[in-house]
Amino acid sequence: PYLSRLQRWWFRDLFSYHAYAAMQYVKDLVILVVTFLFTMTIYLMKQNHLAVVGMQELDFENLQNRYTALKNQTDPHFLFNCLNTLNGLIGRDDERARAYVQELATVFRHTMRDKVVVRLSEELEFVQSYLYLMCIRYFDGLRVEWNVDKKYLDYYVIPSGLQILVENAIKHNIASAKVPLTIYIRTVDNQIVVDNKIQLREDRQSGSTGVLFGKDIDIVSNDGHFTVSLPLIQSLEEVEPKAKSLI
């Protein structure tokens, strides 16, 4: 206000009161526009920084899961067991042996995919192929019960996230003809749930599932059952817009 009065005194002989008032309004409008643009620039820079950080965290989660899945599938024990099972099928059940090779190829194909997120339908195809191999290997020792609502098939999930949980259930629990292991896979409340009865191996190894999409994974151990729930994402807007280009 004092500066405006001083300016008014300086320009009192050049402008009329109304002309000077109009000039002041224009000046204030310019200052308002410049301030708004400056503020928006800072805001957009901050949002872009947050988006980059979020994308890096999502990439890190994806790399962790892809590395774990690839490490497990290329593990010498896994390959040895697969080849040993395949050798037992050749000559005894050639049709099943061919199907076994196809499912094994599907497992490796999905392991090498380069995506930040995948549709649940694609992840289920991967898990079904993996479980086909495991069911052939364990025969009557492994059973799987599915209850997946079709409305969730187009939702998104982290690659290999579901497969790792299924693999951990098999790795850490007894699965034999005398003590069969049943794995329940179902969808509920925007989550994919893996549940199994706890019948731990003596030589089990510790593991960690991590965090998906920045959301906590629900892990419950109750009444002799171990349950893990992974979040399902309906829209990529819930993750990061940049992830769209990776689908």
Side-chain angles (χ1 to χ4, degrees), residues 87-226:
N87 182 61
L89 292 174
I90 295 175
R92 182 171 58 87
D93 192 339
D94 291 339
E95 183 176 350
R96 181 172 291 187
R98 285 192 295 269
Y100 190 89
V101 171
Q102 292 175 352
E103 298 297 341
L104 181 59
T106 300
V107 167
F108 279 101
R109 175 170 58 83
H110 281 279
T111 301
M112 294 183 292
R113 56 194 169 184
D114 186 18
K115 296 182 179 180
V116 174
V117 291
V118 296
R119 294 189 185 276
L120 179 60
S121 57
E122 187 176 351
E123 180 70 7
L124 289 176
E125 179 186 4
F126 176 29
V127 174
Q128 287 169 350
S129 295
Y130 175 78
L131 284 172
Y132 179 89
L133 303 180
M134 295 298 101
C135 286
I136 294 294
R137 174 184 170 187
Y138 289 98
F139 195 53
D140 291 335
L142 180 62
R143 303 165 186 171
V144 183
E145 293 190 11
W146 300 86
N147 187 14
V148 177
D149 194 326
K150 292 183 179 179
K151 73 177 183 180
Y152 291 111
L153 293 181
D154 287 332
Y155 280 49
Y156 296 94
V157 68
I158 205 78
S160 303
L162 179 59
Q163 184 272 335
I164 291 174
L165 297 185
V166 171
E167 182 174 12
N168 285 339
I170 299 173
K171 181 187 299 183
H172 297 165
N173 291 277
I174 299 173
S176 65
K178 292 183 178 180
V179 187
L181 174 66
T182 301
I183 298 177
Y184 303 90
I185 301 176
R186 63 183 186 275
T187 51
V188 58
D189 297 333
N190 294 340
Q191 293 180 318
I192 183 76
V193 180
V194 178
D195 177 82
N196 64 273
K197 184 179 179 181
I198 299 176
Q199 43 199 54
L200 297 177
R201 300 173 182 265
E202 294 182 359
D203 59 344
R204 66 186 185 279
Q205 299 177 355
S206 61
S208 176
T209 56
V211 177
L212 303 183
F213 300 128
K215 300 182 179 181
D216 292 335
I217 299 174
D218 294 332
I219 302 177
V220 178
S221 180
N222 190 24
D223 294 332
H225 276 257
F226 188 78

Side-chain angles (χ1 to χ4, degrees), residues 1-37:
Y2 293 106
L3 180 60
S4 297
R5 293 177 183 177
L6 182 61
Q7 290 175 333
R8 172 71 182 110
W9 184 79
W10 283 343
F11 296 106
R12 65 184 184 280
D13 297 329
L14 298 178
F15 300 100
S16 65
Y17 175 79
H18 295 293
Y20 178 77
M23 183 179 68
Q24 290 297 314
Y25 290 144
V26 172
K27 180 199 69 173
D28 293 342
L29 180 61
V30 170
I31 292 175
L32 176 63
V33 171
V34 170
T35 303
F36 174 77
L37 293 177

